[in-house]
Amino acid sequence: MDAQPLYRRWADHYLRAIKAGSLSQGDRMPSVRGLMRLHGVSLSTAIQVCRQLESEGWLEARPRTGYFVRQPRRLPIAPVDEPNVSALPDPAQYVGIHARVSTFIAKGRQYPITTNLAAARGAPELYPEEKLKNAALRILRRDSRLLVRAPSHSGSTAFRTVLAMRAVSIGLAIGPEDVLVTHGATEALNLALRAVAQPGDTIAVESPTFYGLLQILESLSLRALEIPTSPQTGISIEALELAVQTYDNIKAVVVVPHLQNPLGSIMPDAHKMRLAQLCEERGIPLIEDDTYGDLAESKIPLTAIKAWDRSGNVIYCASLHKVLAPGMRLGWMTAGRLQARVEMLKFAQTRQNEEWSQITAAEFMGLSAYDRHLRRLRSLLRTQRERTAEAIATYFPPGVRLSRPEGGVTLWIELPNKLSSEKLFDAALQEGILIAPGSMFSNSNRFEHFCRINCGLPYSKDLDHALLRLGQTVAQCLRT
Amino acid sequence: MDAQPLYRRWADHYLRAIKAGSLSQGDRMPSVRGLMRLHGVSLSTAIQVCRQLESEGWLEARPRTGYFVRQPRRLPIAPVDEPNVSALPDPAQYVGIHARVSTFIAKGRQYPITTNLAAARGAPELYPEEKLKNAALRILRRDSRLLVRAPSHSGSTAFRTVLAMRAVSIGLAIGPEDVLVTHGATEALNLALRAVAQPGDTIAVESPTFYGLLQILESLSLRALEIPTSPQTGISIEALELAVQTYDNIKAVVVVPHLQNPLGSIMPDAHKMRLAQLCEERGIPLIEDDTYGDLAESKIPLTAIKAWDRSGNVIYCASLHKVLAPGMRLGWMTAGRLQARVEMLKFAQTRQNEEWSQITAAEFMGLSAYDRHLRRLRSLLRTQRERTAEAIATYFPPGVRLSRPEGGVTLWIELPNKLSSEKLFDAALQEGILIAPGSMFSNSNRFEHFCRINCGLPYSKDLDHALLRLGQTVAQCLRT
């Protein structure tokens, strides 16, 4: 702790006071001179303390008055619309999503990007850099053979044990032997889909859904049947029932129950139960992608759909990429009655994962520091989401609508007057700003006038200015 | 170096003398008393020096005479037969190789195994444990953000640069941007096959071939057309030409040109050139798996088939799993005209690899220590192969035949009197010995009376005794 700069120590002191409620929203922060007197620090340190907390979104400066604990404004901004769930979904489509995404990526590379809002990813400073590094150093020193010994089948026992133990809190009763470690949730989804479907088959997915899933389906020659999905409660069970009655070739349903990407919706438990039952009755495997669950602002952990699985019909997939460390590509799955099949496919696809990431993760996740990290991560992300939402309400032209997810790293924006997000994408590039246009999240053109904005970056003056310019660009696009 | 025990230092001293030729095969080692006098060491240290070198296969003890530098015996043992290349290959087959392999694995788990000869893998002590660990510690200390920052697309630039530079010596003119980093050669082969074939398609492979490839084909619903393959010169070009003329649905050819698994064959350059031409003329992509090339005992590096590729038709795949570190699952590929497609498939399958393994490997491979390691590895493997071959010649009943590969970690054994290797497998299990029966290496039953033996373990008294018991078990099986 002593290696920290002095201002950081006092900034943390006040941060703890804010989080503990000793300083409430709207309260005045001690003045710069007050801080100097109270803590015996220099003028520059006292100023740094306030500026640091301001840049992290905990304080706001009021001219000639001083710093105050921020009070999130009530936003005069409407939520994004609910979908029409009574219409029959379009037949499964296949439109070359990879080519579409590649075009956006290629365009992005032609411009000097100063603000990347297209990702769905926390900045490195949100993650426990030092603690993870120390865990990694420790395990390498402790076990010299780690790099020269072939890794264990299905994953490191220590890691699988930690995962199985933590899964109790989301309603899963599994042992280490039920856990298959994968390269991120991406590989888990690949294995789950390959276990249940053949090229040409149809897979029901949320609409909109994250483009990574559409790319996986395309790469496996599977077709996506897009089911209307609520920005509040997730996939529409009614619409899915209708689709299942209409199309008899649906081989799996893939859902992201918690903080769905891009909507941010969270399925109510009653929906989860009905979905598990529906899939079981119809004999359709349900693939649950719980990549974002740990980022939800819930007093208790959100229960997995698999908690309602009675027949091993749910394949549960998760990832530590967004919650523990973006530099470690660790995912895992537990596949019920398909466990042996996904294990075979994993072995044939990439063999077992290397052990050092797994053991490093196990070492850190076994500590109470991991839960502290998760609380800090959620708190930082909330501030970043709120500040981004405020900036959009302030800087964007009237008519803009916004999702208000209770957790996660992104916001889903509906542009005014059905403005094309591809037009906005092109115009924003000129400003050095990268956004994710809505057309990346569907094979249809239904989300052409939406875009997804990353909130994983610490809120800064530069970011605020970028959002101001993005709002001006929206206004400009509406005029031309 | 001072952390080493004293006996190890003097053992290394004599090892250098043997490798440098100052002590030749058949020369007498100084006596135990001589060593005590010469180096001022204790009796027990002097004895340990000799025993250590004996256990590593550098010395042999002659009763009442002393230790001598080992002279490999001329083996009175015939090489395995050449295949019949004029017969038309059987149509492509699909027999459930995974179920077959799983049965062997499940059986193996029911017995306490003391000697695992079924793998094709070097023991941990053959690899640069300390140097790799130090490289890993160094890069973690240098770059704190490594674990919390999302990894680069397609792989770390440092690693791809080292790979591209080293590829010059095997005839490839590629840059870092042509290298895609994968999870072992296994993932590279998956991506290559997925890039060129659809379920139901036929792939021409060597016969016998390693069961990992047959499992990959099976998991992708591809059919293997087995082409006769020489234990000396690899796949038969004549037989392949015949097959290509006969079957018009061959979508790719997969070959292991160097130290083919399980045969150990090395393709002559003239064959490589003809193969590259044949595939190009026929428009059939050629997938080259060069996992073992660096283990070949050749004065100059063996040239890749891709060196003769004029149209980007060859997909070159390689791995560091067997040559650098079994604990790091690093592979790579360069796919010619299919590069963009394999990159898309890799992104959709597992995203980019984590960076720390890559940077650790790059750090070590950039040093001359890496070439020293490769020379040491080849030399240790040679000793282990020779001692295993001698043991088989000595302990097995007459009629046994043996491949004599010029490198690598395995031997391919033809059992006398067409003895079933599955029968031997079952009987060897009772002795706590695991072997890889020939039926794992083909969808046909052509290799029922063969087995593959691992030579990756340091030769020891226990191993020698296990081979003695294995030979007795063969004799017993022949009698019953």
Side-chain angles (χ1 to χ4, degrees):
Chain A
M1 293 294 274
D2 287 326
Q4 283 193 326
L6 194 58
Y7 80 89
R8 183 70 257 181
R9 273 177 54 199
W10 288 110
D12 284 347
H13 172 80
Y14 281 95
L15 192 50
R16 280 192 297 272
I18 294 168
K19 286 185 177 171
S22 334
L23 275 173
S24 307
Q25 289 182 342
D27 279 359
R28 187 178 180 153
M29 174 79 178
S31 70
V32 166
R33 300 217 167 268
L35 291 173
M36 290 167 69
R37 211 170 39 237
L38 279 165
H39 309 304
V41 297
S42 70
L43 175 66
S44 75
T45 300
I47 292 175
Q48 270 183 301
V49 169
C50 296
R51 291 213 174 135
Q52 182 62 31
L53 289 169
E54 185 193 14
S55 78
E56 292 173 8
W58 299 102
L59 298 181
E60 61 187 341
R62 296 190 195 151
R64 293 164 206 266
T65 323
Y67 285 93
F68 291 79
V69 178
R70 273 185 70 248
Q71 189 133 38
R73 273 170 275 177
R74 287 183 65 82
L75 298 180
I77 193 167
V80 288
D81 256 351
E82 289 291 320
N84 173 5
V85 300
S86 57
L88 189 66
D90 309 330
Q93 288 201 53
Y94 181 88
V95 297
I97 195 78
H98 185 75
R100 198 186 269 184
V101 170
S102 298
T103 306
F104 290 124
I105 291 171
K107 274 186 184 176
R109 288 204 178 129
Q110 289 165 17
Y111 291 83
I113 299 300
T114 50
T115 311
N116 182 350
L117 302 175
R121 180 189 293 150
E125 48 266 51
L126 303 189
Y127 297 94
E129 178 179 322
E130 279 297 312
K131 290 209 170 65
L132 276 174
K133 188 183 80 175
N134 290 337
L137 292 172
R138 212 153 51 227
I139 62 129
L140 275 170
R141 287 200 201 99
R142 194 170 62 206
D143 183 0
S144 254
R145 288 246 159 130
L146 197 56
L147 305 184
V148 295
R149 184 183 56 217
S152 335
H153 277 278
S154 305
S156 125
T157 306
F159 184 48
R160 294 157 83 199
T161 303
V162 169
L163 292 171
M165 280 173 59
R166 292 192 69 93
V168 173
S169 69
I170 59 166
L172 305 193
I174 53 172
E177 68 283 3
D178 303 312
V179 172
L180 175 63
V181 178
T182 60
H183 295 292
T186 300
E187 183 174 40
L189 289 170
N190 267 274
L191 298 172
L193 287 163
R194 290 182 59 198
V196 300
Q198 287 293 315
D201 284 345
T202 292
I203 309 295
V205 302
E206 295 149 321
S207 184
T209 191
F210 80 111
Y211 61 89
L213 175 60
L214 295 176
Q215 285 179 305
I216 292 172
L217 294 175
E218 178 172 318
S219 76
L220 296 171
S221 302
L222 298 170
R223 281 155 191 281
L225 180 68
E226 299 190 21
I227 310 295
T229 301
S230 154
Q232 301 296 326
T233 57
I235 196 166
S236 161
I237 314 286
E238 293 72 24
L240 180 64
E241 273 184 314
L242 190 62
V244 166
Q245 281 157 21
T246 313
Y247 302 106
D248 60 1
N249 58 349
I250 299 174
K251 290 297 162 57
V253 178
V254 184
V255 293
V256 180
H258 305 140
L259 301 172
Q260 198 265 3
N261 180 359
L263 292 173
S265 54
I266 292 181
M267 284 179 79
D269 282 355
H271 286 216
K272 294 177 193 167
M273 190 172 66
R274 279 180 59 201
L275 180 59
Q277 277 172 356
L278 172 66
C279 288
E280 188 180 314
E281 282 160 22
R282 295 284 178 162
I284 301 173
L286 174 59
I287 300 170
E288 173 178 22
D289 174 4
D290 196 15
T291 294
Y292 306 98
D294 276 336
L295 299 182
E297 302 201 340
S298 165
K299 289 232 176 354
I300 51 164
L302 300 173
T303 306
I305 305 176
K306 189 164 176 65
W308 287 274
D309 180 19
R310 293 173 307 184
S311 59
N313 191 50
V314 179
I315 304 179
Y316 177 89
C317 307
S319 169
L320 297 172
H321 188 63
K322 313 262 177 184
V323 291
L324 174 67
M328 298 165 76
R329 290 217 40 81
L330 289 174
W332 66 280
M333 67 196 300
T334 185
R337 61 185 163 82
L338 288 157
Q339 188 71 15
R341 179 145 174 82
V342 299
E343 284 181 3
M344 182 278 275
L345 290 170
K346 163 70 174 160
F347 186 78
Q349 181 163 292
T350 54
R351 294 281 188 280
Q352 49 274 42
N353 279 42
E354 290 175 0
E355 289 213 321
W356 58 343
S357 310
Q358 297 181 63
I359 299 178
T360 298
E363 178 104 356
F364 178 66
M365 290 172 74
L367 306 173
S368 58
Y370 181 54
D371 284 305
R372 282 202 301 279
H373 154 66
L374 288 178
R375 285 195 294 274
R376 174 177 175 271
L377 176 62
R378 286 191 285 258
S379 158
L380 293 171
L381 287 176
R382 181 178 55 240
T383 306
Q384 292 171 194
R385 279 196 318 276
E386 280 174 0
R387 297 212 70 183
T388 305
E390 279 176 35
I392 289 165
T394 311
Y395 301 141
F396 277 47
V400 67
R401 294 167 157 227
L402 202 58
S403 69
R404 298 303 300 271
E406 293 182 348
V409 287
T410 54
L411 292 175
W412 182 240
I413 300 175
E414 186 175 351
L415 298 170
N417 288 337
K418 304 237 172 219
L419 172 64
S420 155
S421 61
E422 296 196 26
K423 185 176 172 187
L424 177 62
F425 176 89
D426 288 337
L429 273 184
Q430 311 279 346
E431 296 288 326
I433 301 169
L434 205 59
I435 60 165
S439 43
M440 289 168 78
F441 300 91
S442 169
N443 283 333
S444 77
N445 54 8
R446 217 172 280 131
F447 302 97
E448 242 289 288
H449 57 294
F450 287 81
C451 64
R452 194 191 65 185
I453 294 286
N454 190 26
C455 304
L457 305 171
Y459 209 86
S460 64
K461 285 213 171 98
D462 284 348
L463 180 53
D464 189 73
H465 190 62
L467 288 167
L468 170 64
R469 281 180 293 137
L470 187 59
Q472 292 167 341
T473 308
V474 172
Q476 210 162 27
C477 287
L478 285 170
R479 284 195 298 271
T480 55
Chain B
M1 292 296 273
D2 287 328
Q4 283 192 324
L6 193 61
Y7 80 88
R8 181 72 258 181
R9 273 177 56 199
W10 289 112
D12 285 347
H13 171 82
Y14 282 96
L15 192 51
R16 282 192 294 273
I18 293 168
K19 286 183 175 172
S22 331
L23 274 172
S24 308
Q25 289 181 341
D27 278 358
R28 186 179 182 153
M29 176 79 178
S31 69
V32 166
R33 300 215 166 269
L35 289 172
M36 291 168 67
R37 208 168 44 237
L38 277 166
H39 310 304
V41 296
S42 69
L43 175 66
S44 75
T45 299
I47 291 174
Q48 271 183 301
V49 169
C50 295
R51 290 211 175 137
Q52 182 62 31
L53 289 168
E54 184 194 14
S55 77
E56 292 173 8
W58 298 104
L59 297 182
E60 61 189 340
R62 296 188 196 154
R64 294 163 204 268
T65 322
Y67 286 93
F68 291 79
V69 179
R70 273 186 71 249
Q71 190 133 35
R73 275 171 272 175
R74 286 184 64 84
L75 299 182
I77 192 168
V80 289
D81 253 354
E82 289 292 320
N84 174 6
V85 300
S86 58
L88 189 63
D90 309 328
Q93 289 200 50
Y94 180 88
V95 297
I97 195 78
H98 185 74
R100 196 186 270 185
V101 171
S102 298
T103 306
F104 290 125
I105 292 171
K107 275 187 183 175
R109 289 205 178 128
Q110 290 164 19
Y111 290 84
I113 299 300
T114 49
T115 311
N116 182 348
L117 301 175
R121 179 191 293 150
E125 50 264 54
L126 303 188
Y127 297 93
E129 178 179 320
E130 279 296 312
K131 289 209 170 68
L132 277 174
K133 187 183 81 174
N134 291 335
L137 292 172
R138 214 156 49 228
I139 62 129
L140 275 169
R141 287 202 202 97
R142 193 169 64 206
D143 182 1
S144 255
R145 288 246 157 131
L146 196 56
L147 305 184
V148 294
R149 187 182 56 217
S152 334
H153 278 275
S154 304
S156 126
T157 305
F159 184 48
R160 295 157 83 198
T161 304
V162 168
L163 292 172
M165 280 172 59
R166 293 193 70 93
V168 173
S169 68
I170 58 166
L172 306 193
I174 53 172
E177 68 283 2
D178 303 313
V179 172
L180 175 63
V181 178
T182 60
H183 295 293
T186 300
E187 184 174 39
L189 289 171
N190 267 273
L191 298 171
L193 287 163
R194 291 182 57 196
V196 301
Q198 288 293 316
D201 284 345
T202 292
I203 310 295
V205 302
E206 296 150 320
S207 185
T209 191
F210 79 111
Y211 61 90
L213 176 61
L214 295 176
Q215 285 179 305
I216 293 172
L217 294 174
E218 179 172 316
S219 75
L220 296 171
S221 303
L222 298 170
R223 282 156 191 279
L225 180 69
E226 299 189 21
I227 308 295
T229 300
S230 154
Q232 301 295 324
T233 57
I235 196 167
S236 160
I237 314 287
E238 292 72 23
L240 180 64
E241 273 184 314
L242 189 62
V244 166
Q245 282 159 21
T246 312
Y247 302 105
D248 59 3
N249 58 348
I250 298 175
K251 289 297 161 57
V253 178
V254 184
V255 293
V256 180
H258 304 139
L259 300 172
Q260 199 265 2
N261 180 358
L263 293 172
S265 55
I266 293 179
M267 285 179 76
D269 283 354
H271 286 216
K272 296 177 191 166
M273 188 170 69
R274 279 179 59 202
L275 180 59
Q277 279 173 356
L278 171 65
C279 289
E280 186 179 316
E281 283 162 20
R282 295 285 178 158
I284 302 174
L286 175 60
I287 300 171
E288 174 178 22
D289 173 4
D290 196 14
T291 293
Y292 307 97
D294 276 336
L295 299 182
E297 302 200 341
S298 164
K299 288 231 172 5
I300 51 163
L302 299 173
T303 306
I305 303 177
K306 190 164 174 65
W308 286 276
D309 180 19
R310 293 172 308 184
S311 60
N313 191 51
V314 179
I315 305 180
Y316 176 89
C317 306
S319 168
L320 297 173
H321 187 64
K322 312 261 179 187
V323 292
L324 175 66
M328 299 166 75
R329 290 218 40 84
L330 289 173
W332 66 281
M333 67 196 301
T334 186
R337 62 185 163 81
L338 288 158
Q339 188 70 15
R341 180 146 175 82
V342 299
E343 284 181 4
M344 182 278 275
L345 290 170
K346 163 71 174 158
F347 186 77
Q349 181 162 293
T350 54
R351 295 282 187 279
Q352 50 274 36
N353 279 43
E354 290 175 1
E355 289 213 321
W356 59 341
S357 313
Q358 297 180 62
I359 300 177
T360 298
E363 178 104 357
F364 178 66
M365 290 170 74
L367 306 172
S368 58
Y370 181 54
D371 284 307
R372 280 201 303 279
H373 154 66
L374 288 178
R375 283 195 295 273
R376 174 176 174 272
L377 176 63
R378 286 191 285 257
S379 156
L380 293 173
L381 287 176
R382 182 178 56 240
T383 307
Q384 294 171 193
R385 279 196 318 277
E386 280 173 2
R387 296 210 72 184
T388 305
E390 280 175 35
I392 289 166
T394 312
Y395 300 141
F396 278 46
V400 65
R401 294 168 156 225
L402 203 58
S403 70
R404 300 304 301 269
E406 292 180 347
V409 286
T410 55
L411 291 175
W412 182 239
I413 300 175
E414 186 174 351
L415 297 170
N417 288 338
K418 304 238 173 219
L419 172 64
S420 155
S421 60
E422 297 197 24
K423 184 176 173 187
L424 177 61
F425 176 87
D426 289 335
L429 274 185
Q430 311 279 348
E431 297 288 325
I433 301 170
L434 205 59
I435 61 165
S439 41
M440 290 169 77
F441 300 90
S442 169
N443 283 333
S444 77
N445 55 8
R446 215 171 282 129
F447 302 98
E448 243 288 289
H449 58 294
F450 287 81
C451 64
R452 194 190 66 183
I453 294 286
N454 190 27
C455 305
L457 305 171
Y459 208 87
S460 64
K461 282 208 174 104
D462 284 348
L463 179 54
D464 189 73
H465 190 61
L467 289 166
L468 170 64
R469 280 179 296 137
L470 187 60
Q472 291 167 340
T473 308
V474 172
Q476 209 161 26
C477 288
L478 285 171
R479 283 195 299 271
T480 55

